[in-house]
Amino acid sequence: MPDRPYPSDLSDGEWTVLEPLLPRPSCLGRPLKWPRRMMAEAIFYLVRSGCAWRMLPRHFPPWQTVHSQLTRRRKDGTLKRLHDRLREHAREKAGRSRKASAGVIDSQTARATGVGGPERGFDAGKKTFGRKRHLLVDASGLILLAHIHAASLHDTAGARQMVEMTSSSALPRLELVWADGAYTGPFARWLDQARGWRVEVPFHRQRQAWRYGLEDKPKGFQVIPRRWVVERTFTWLSRSRRLARDYERLPETGIAMIHTAMSRIMLRRLA
């Protein structure tokens, strides 16, 4: 072990919160060679530092073991279930209901690297080749749904994919979705018919006064109500250097990295 813990390492309080949520080790086969806490810290280190798999520090388990563990937990849905349970606990601790009734949706384009893989394209608006990360977050910025698709796909098409890939019972209380103007029109009507979620586009309160010259429009960036919440979530995720660009060959691995980074943030809040 290093003399000083890494910033991504788990404290005793955080491990106390995380350990009961992890699946129990199988009674079959040989006993675990590496502690589960060290395995979790290796994954958090990789996401936070952005290093390559083969550059994991030597005191962690071998990178092949960590990689296979992450892949196994991604495929069997453990990472997603763990993230969702942490979100429910975080909402409950903040005095909210465990299930969200409103959300905010938006996408972010991530520049591609040379690893290749499916679901890649050119975003003409951002002049960027890569993938889009689509998020639906609750009113406090915690992730409800995450999806990754080609950057060439329109936001409404990517959002529809994200919703269609989710069970209708996953978000039973959700009724309202705040979004920008790109999600209005056919997508809003489809979302209302398919799930009963109403799309609302927030605007600046003084928008009409600025439009008709009744007031001078202030210079600089102006925060739009509600829509800034999902932008803040993207900022939280950007602190994890693994998410600074799109380093993953598979979109499913990128979604797992998003859930891992957000789980680490919620663990700090809960502990």
Side-chain angles (χ1 to χ4, degrees):
M1 288 291 292
D3 296 336
R4 298 181 180 179
Y6 295 112
S8 58
D9 286 351
L10 296 169
S11 65
D12 293 339
E14 292 167 348
W15 177 243
T16 302
V17 175
L18 179 62
E19 186 178 16
L21 304 179
L22 296 175
R24 295 196 174 195
S26 175
C27 298
L28 304 177
R30 67 177 185 179
L32 293 177
K33 180 178 180 180
W34 300 95
R36 296 198 297 170
R37 178 171 178 174
M38 183 178 292
M39 191 72 67
E41 289 178 345
I43 296 175
F44 288 140
Y45 176 89
L46 180 105
V47 177
R48 181 67 178 86
S49 66
C51 72
W53 283 104
R54 292 169 176 80
M55 297 179 66
L56 276 176
R58 295 183 181 276
H59 73 273
F60 284 132
W63 72 267
Q64 298 92 331
T65 304
V66 181
H67 183 274
S68 64
Q69 179 79 0
L70 178 66
T71 303
R72 187 182 306 113
R73 297 311 180 193
R74 170 181 64 81
K75 290 182 177 180
D76 63 15
T78 299
L79 287 177
K80 179 68 166 59
R81 289 191 298 269
L82 174 65
H83 169 272
D84 292 347
R85 293 185 66 182
L86 287 173
R87 184 190 66 235
E88 292 177 356
H89 292 330
R91 286 180 56 86
E92 193 173 30
K93 185 176 181 180
R96 298 175 177 268
S97 172
R98 295 173 69 94
K99 301 294 183 180
S101 60
V104 192
I105 190 172
D106 204 357
S107 68
Q108 178 194 53
T109 301
R111 190 180 298 275
T113 57
V115 297
E119 295 293 333
R120 290 175 179 256
F122 183 75
D123 184 350
K126 302 293 180 62
K127 302 294 189 295
T128 302
F129 180 81
R131 291 173 175 150
K132 281 185 180 179
R133 297 167 181 157
H134 238 107
L135 295 184
L136 175 66
V137 303
D138 65 6
S140 60
L142 303 181
I143 297 176
L144 301 174
L145 300 178
H147 181 55
I148 293 180
H149 55 84
S152 56
L153 199 64
H154 193 268
D155 285 353
T156 55
R160 180 163 181 167
Q161 284 184 0
M162 179 174 64
V163 175
E164 288 177 339
M165 294 173 64
T166 307
S167 171
S168 58
S169 60
L171 301 171
R173 295 186 67 246
L174 195 66
E175 299 177 354
L176 175 63
V177 176
W178 289 294
D180 58 32
Y183 296 91
T184 57
F187 172 76
R189 292 192 292 271
W190 171 83
L191 193 62
D192 188 22
Q193 295 173 0
R195 297 296 176 93
W197 300 350
R198 177 170 54 90
V199 176
E200 182 177 309
V201 180
F203 294 102
H204 289 292
R205 291 183 176 87
Q206 303 300 324
R207 173 171 169 263
Q208 297 299 330
W210 301 339
R211 179 179 180 182
Y212 294 105
L214 301 178
E215 294 182 6
D216 293 334
K217 184 177 181 179
K219 297 181 180 180
F221 174 75
Q222 300 296 317
V223 177
I224 301 178
R226 299 295 182 183
R227 282 162 55 182
W228 62 269
V229 175
V230 65
E231 302 295 345
R232 183 182 61 179
T233 302
F234 283 124
T235 303
W236 290 343
L237 295 177
S238 66
R239 296 175 183 174
S240 298
R241 295 191 176 187
R242 187 79 182 190
L243 299 175
R245 295 182 68 179
D246 186 55
Y247 292 101
E248 314 307 329
R249 182 176 299 274
L250 298 177
E252 294 81 5
T253 307
I255 297 174
M257 295 296 177
I258 291 175
H259 287 151
T260 302
M262 199 67 201
S263 298
R264 189 67 188 88
I265 293 173
M266 292 186 291
L267 279 173
R268 289 198 182 97
R269 298 185 181 184
L270 291 171

